[in-house]
Amino acid sequence: MSNTVNLNRSKQPFNLSHLQFYGLVLPIAFILFWAIASQLNWVNPKLIPAPIEVLKIAIYQFQQQEFWTGLGASLFRDLAGFVIGSILAIIFGIVIGISRWANYLFLPSFNVLRQISLFAWLPLITTFLDYGNSAKILFIVLSVFYPVALHTIDGVRQIPLQQYEVAKVYQFNAWQTLSKLILPAAATQIFLGLQLGLIFAWVATIGAEFLLANYGVGLGNIVIRGRAALDVGLIVFGLIIIGFIGVAWNYFANWAERRILVWRR
């Protein structure tokens, strides 16, 4: 009887959830080493402040209206650029994936444009839109458009021709073909592109606030103010907040994919 129980236990799949907390070991060890190095004066406190000093800066910043205004401005730019870029990219990818003429007309130009670095667009963007909010959002839209469009094209092209033939047998109209065949069949690739687009959007948001800085509001301006004042603690605080929000977006994307694509199971 005991042998049977042990055998059943050995056949149970290994649960990766038990390893989730192990990812905290390295950050905690780094903070402890950082605190010890600061306490023993192994580092210059003006260049590398102690963790407690960064914590004090964080508490102070959380109490400031400017911080929350900047956080809201950054999130608005991020979401606006992501939504606009994703919608345009999905439409473009579907058209390219199902239309031979659109593929011949637009795909060569698309392949050329996506080879141009996003930073190379900044002089042209600022020429027409200056350094305002519209320029930042357009920069984010461009960063989102390419990965989402590429994965959408791949997803649509991977749909077997037999499925289109079945749709013809059932006399699907254009909307039914799109909603019941193309989008469900390409959903996995589209969501993969959206996840990458969400990551790129947040990176582009902070990059736009750095490169198109006009003394406005945003999380990127916290780091800029820290650099201008030689306040390393403020810079570290800004980097930590930016990193945590990026991780939160990643978790949200994974959660949304599991909920929306639950039928794949």
Side-chain angles (χ1 to χ4, degrees):
M1 183 67 177
S2 60
N3 292 335
T4 304
V5 173
N6 293 331
L7 181 61
N8 291 334
R9 288 180 178 177
S10 64
K11 290 182 179 180
Q12 290 179 354
F14 184 72
N15 191 357
L16 293 178
S17 62
H18 296 303
L19 298 179
Q20 291 179 353
F21 291 102
Y22 287 109
L24 299 176
V25 173
L26 185 59
I28 293 174
F30 174 77
I31 294 174
L32 289 176
F33 177 78
W34 179 13
I36 294 173
S38 300
Q39 185 66 28
L40 298 179
N41 294 323
W42 291 350
V43 294
N44 188 344
K46 294 183 179 180
L47 296 178
I48 305 178
I52 189 64
E53 297 299 326
V54 177
L55 180 60
K56 292 178 181 178
I57 292 174
I59 295 174
Y60 174 78
Q61 289 294 324
F62 289 148
Q63 296 173 347
Q64 304 301 310
Q65 181 64 33
E66 182 182 3
F67 168 78
W68 298 106
T69 303
L71 175 61
S74 295
L75 292 178
F76 170 77
R77 296 180 187 121
D78 180 43
L79 289 176
F82 172 75
V83 171
I84 296 173
S86 298
I87 292 175
L88 294 176
I90 292 174
I91 295 174
F92 177 82
I94 291 175
V95 172
I96 293 295
I98 64 177
S99 174
R100 180 178 300 179
W101 286 105
N103 187 78
Y104 291 150
L105 289 174
F106 299 111
L107 193 59
S109 300
F110 172 76
N111 288 330
V112 172
L113 292 176
R114 71 186 181 91
Q115 303 301 325
I116 302 175
S117 171
L118 289 175
F119 301 104
W121 290 100
L122 288 176
L124 188 62
I125 292 175
T126 54
T127 299
F128 290 97
L129 299 177
D130 199 25
Y131 290 83
N133 214 37
S134 299
K136 295 181 177 67
I137 292 176
L138 179 57
F139 183 73
I140 299 168
V141 168
L142 290 175
S143 69
V144 173
F145 183 84
Y146 295 114
V148 178
L150 285 172
H151 282 280
T152 302
I153 293 171
D154 289 340
V156 174
R157 286 179 173 176
Q158 290 175 8
I159 301 175
L161 292 177
Q162 293 83 350
Q163 295 187 15
Y164 286 103
E165 294 175 357
V166 172
K168 291 181 180 179
V169 171
Y170 283 96
Q171 298 180 347
F172 281 4
N173 56 33
W175 170 248
Q176 289 175 326
T177 303
L178 176 64
S179 60
K180 295 184 178 182
L181 171 60
I182 296 176
L183 289 178
T188 302
Q189 282 294 325
I190 292 176
F191 266 89
L192 180 58
L194 290 174
Q195 286 183 339
L196 293 176
L198 193 60
I199 296 172
F200 290 170
W202 183 240
V203 173
T205 299
I206 304 303
E209 292 175 354
F210 274 119
L211 300 173
L212 303 177
N214 60 344
Y215 302 99
V217 293
L219 291 180
N221 294 89
I222 294 178
V223 182
I224 293 175
R225 286 191 289 108
R227 182 187 62 182
L230 298 179
D231 189 346
V232 179
L234 185 59
I235 296 175
V236 172
F237 165 73
L239 294 177
I240 292 174
I241 294 298
I242 292 170
F244 270 111
I245 294 177
V247 171
W249 277 132
N250 188 40
Y251 274 106
F252 172 77
N254 292 331
W255 173 84
E257 181 183 10
R258 290 194 300 270
R259 294 296 296 271
I260 296 176
L261 300 185
V262 66
W263 51 267
R264 292 187 306 171
R265 302 176 186 176

